[in-house]
Amino acid sequence: MVKRDREELEDAGSNKRLRYAPRDRLSALSDELLLVLLSYLPVHDLTRCEQLSTRLRTLASDSQVWKAAYYDRFVRPRAARIPGIREGNALNNSFLYSSKLSKWLEDGPLVKRGGATNWKRQYKLRHNWSRGSCKRTETEIAQRPPIPPLLVRLHDGIIITADSTAGLRAWSTRSRSGDSHIASLALDMHSSSAPSSLAIDSSGTTTHHIHISVGFIDGSFGTYCLDRRKSSLSRRYLHAPSTNGSIRAIAFSFPYLLTMTEAQLLSLYRFPATGDEHSAHENLDPPRLLSSLKSHTAWPPLSLAIKCSPTGVSTSIAYAMPTYTAGWSVGLQELRLSTDGIILESRLATPFSHGFKPLSASESHHGTSSPKRGSPSTDTAFPRFTSRSAKPTSLSYTHPYLLAAYSDNTMTLYMVTSNARELVIGPGKPLCGHTSSVSGAHVGDRGKAVSISAGGNDLRVWELEAGLSSNASRRRAVWAEASVMVRPEIQTVDEQPESNPVEDCQHNITSKLAAKAAQKDVMTSRGWLSFDEEQVVLLGETNQGAQALVVYNFA
């Protein structure tokens, strides 16, 4: 092989292409410009940018970037369902992203907290709700089911349970240690009477105390207080037994307390007002009976609610109602009283038009409202239901949604219109998706509802606002996919940012298998469940008879 001369090598080297290292123009930009660029990225690209460098990780996690993403995905779609908003891709300019509270609808409290709100965490939380992705934990609370059954309520991450054996107990769903039990208290019951109803005051102004009311089989009721700082429960008042039967339902909003007895007697009490927080553990003076009404058509399941105002109090009772030849339907009564207990207004409503008659024909129903032409109740997109042959297994009312669950695998949603002129219950819309009897359902804020099957293996989340669009074809489409089956596993935004048909199919198969394996030994007891912003809690019972609190955490 002939060697090349040095001159030839020098000439060849001079003809080689010079290689330049790529210039990092992105790093030269200021943080302000980078934040503007990141705000245009979809969420899955935004999460990938966090892996590029320490600087980009900090900027891609900026709260204002995720605040805009939260608004575009979760707030603007809700604004598009407001009646009168133009259909189509182009939304009204008044709903473009802004920090004004008026544009955030019910998410305004998150904006009010300012820098205390972690918008990336809020986005992840809402994303997990929309996917049904969560972590499932269980806490055993009883070796065998008590008689009467255990009563459970959820408020601000605290679960309150009441039964004749263990008394009143409090549990934390946010405890990171192994023991989630907070406090317990033996119930002072007359003649060994057992608790029959339970309610929590959710209108309290302090987060340190939770006020609780318990109704008993002998017609008595008591009020209690949980001190979260001291982890202690104390009794504040115990009412004498009544001859009107057991208390089937109870509602508490201090200083008002509302009860419904087995004899269908609705009673409203008022405790002496105590404005001092330090007196939360002191005994209360006996309450004053403001008003008492007798009903002949209100049957369980019941849903009671109290709303206080400076000028008086408003109460509502949703109930199941038997009718002639038409089976079972639902009814709603609203009462508005002054602070002295004078009934200022009483209104009744049913899904029927004028002229229907319940089983108790002696009752007058002149206050019954009927749907009017042009109102939201005149919806021809779905079959109309005013009554069902079977009695509801569960009933939940949070204005404007009245949700009834049935044993035929379906639920019925009624839209309630309540204003100064009228009280109207529109025709029911069927909700399908469960594969077995629906034993319990609960409606929360922002049009979200959760339902559970009798076997406990089919927990679903419903977006009830999806059917409020003014376009009938869109309404039919969204109702067909209005529910999401909860899958008890961890799922984050980073892992599943976008929907993929193939991945979704594989994800659903593995999720269902995991759910069946996790829930093999647990079934629901009496269909009770409740939820808040971060979790769903239901009462489960194993095949061996032990009862447990099953928590689905979406955070």
Side-chain angles (χ1 to χ4, degrees), residues 436-513:
S436 60
S437 172
V438 184
S439 59
H442 180 70
V443 180
D445 297 330
R446 287 199 293 250
K448 182 184 296 181
V450 176
S451 59
I452 183 69
S453 65
N457 55 357
D458 191 1
L459 181 65
R460 290 185 173 271
V461 179
W462 302 81
E463 292 294 341
L464 304 180
E465 284 187 344
L468 297 183
S469 172
S470 57
N471 183 280
S473 60
R474 175 191 290 186
R475 195 163 52 244
R476 280 192 293 266
V478 295
W479 274 120
E481 301 176 355
S483 68
V484 176
M485 183 176 179
V486 174
R487 296 177 292 270
E489 63 180 18
I490 295 295
Q491 179 72 37
T492 64
V493 182
D494 300 2
E495 296 171 341
Q496 190 76 13
E498 293 291 330
S499 177
N500 183 287
V502 178
E503 294 179 0
D504 284 351
C505 181
Q506 298 174 349
H507 175 73
N508 291 337
I509 294 175
T510 56
S511 298
K512 290 180 179 179
L513 293 176

Side-chain angles (χ1 to χ4, degrees), residues 522-533:
V522 177
M523 63 183 70
T524 58
S525 173
R526 298 176 67 242
W528 179 88
L529 79 161
S530 184
F531 68 95
D532 56 16
E533 291 293 330

Side-chain angles (χ1 to χ4, degrees), residues 162-346:
D163 64 273
S164 57
T165 304
L168 194 64
R169 290 179 290 177
W171 313 77
S172 174
T173 60
R174 300 168 183 171
S175 175
R176 298 187 178 182
S177 59
D179 187 13
S180 60
H181 180 261
I182 298 177
S184 60
L185 177 69
L187 293 173
D188 297 329
M189 300 172 292
H190 299 280
S191 64
S192 301
S193 178
S196 57
S197 56
L198 177 65
I200 296 178
D201 182 7
S202 59
S203 62
T205 57
T206 174
T207 59
H208 303 306
H209 297 97
I210 297 179
H211 298 282
I212 308 161
S213 61
V214 181
F216 297 95
I217 290 180
D218 61 0
S220 63
F221 61 85
T223 61
Y224 305 84
C225 179
L226 170 65
D227 191 328
R228 304 179 69 169
R229 292 176 296 186
K230 298 181 180 179
S231 300
S232 63
L233 279 163
S234 60
R235 177 175 63 85
R236 302 194 66 191
Y237 176 76
L238 185 62
H239 197 68
S242 172
T243 58
N244 296 308
S246 65
I247 296 181
R248 286 181 168 176
I250 191 169
F252 192 27
S253 180
F254 191 83
Y256 297 98
L257 187 142
L258 185 66
T259 63
M260 185 70 171
T261 66
E262 187 178 6
Q264 298 180 328
L265 184 67
L266 183 69
S267 302
L268 179 65
Y269 299 87
R270 179 188 174 110
F271 287 95
T274 55
D276 188 5
E277 180 182 344
H278 298 286
S279 62
H281 291 280
E282 296 180 0
N283 292 335
L284 292 173
D285 294 331
R288 174 191 170 193
L289 179 61
L290 295 182
S291 181
S292 185
L293 298 176
K294 178 74 174 180
S295 173
H296 296 279
T297 59
W299 295 84
L302 304 167
S303 179
L304 305 183
I306 303 177
K307 184 178 181 180
C308 302
S309 66
T311 59
V313 58
S314 300
T315 67
S316 65
I317 170 173
Y319 52 88
M321 179 179 61
T323 61
Y324 275 124
T325 69
W328 287 85
S329 184
V330 296
L332 179 66
Q333 181 173 6
E334 288 186 353
L335 292 172
R336 188 167 61 89
L337 301 92
S338 66
T339 55
D340 297 328
I342 301 175
I343 298 179
L344 303 178
E345 185 180 20
S346 177

Side-chain angles (χ1 to χ4, degrees), residues 342-362:
I342 301 175
I343 298 179
L344 303 178
E345 185 180 20
S346 177
R347 303 189 296 183
L348 292 170
T350 68
F352 294 88
S353 60
H354 283 297
F356 100 96
K357 293 182 179 180
L359 288 179
S360 179
S362 61

Side-chain angles (χ1 to χ4, degrees), residues 86-140:
R86 181 178 49 180
E87 301 287 345
N89 296 328
L91 262 181
N92 193 310
N93 291 333
S94 61
F95 288 101
L96 296 179
Y97 171 72
S98 172
S99 294
K100 293 182 179 180
L101 291 178
S102 59
K103 295 188 177 183
W104 284 80
L105 305 178
E106 280 80 4
D107 289 296
L110 296 177
V111 182
K112 285 184 178 181
R113 294 205 303 245
T117 300
N118 187 334
W119 287 103
K120 182 180 179 181
R121 183 180 183 277
Q122 292 296 326
Y123 186 99
K124 178 180 177 182
L125 179 63
R126 292 290 295 274
H127 172 83
N128 289 341
W129 273 104
S130 65
R131 296 281 299 172
S133 304
C134 60
K135 181 179 180 180
R136 181 175 180 271
T137 58
E138 299 178 17
T139 302
E140 184 174 309

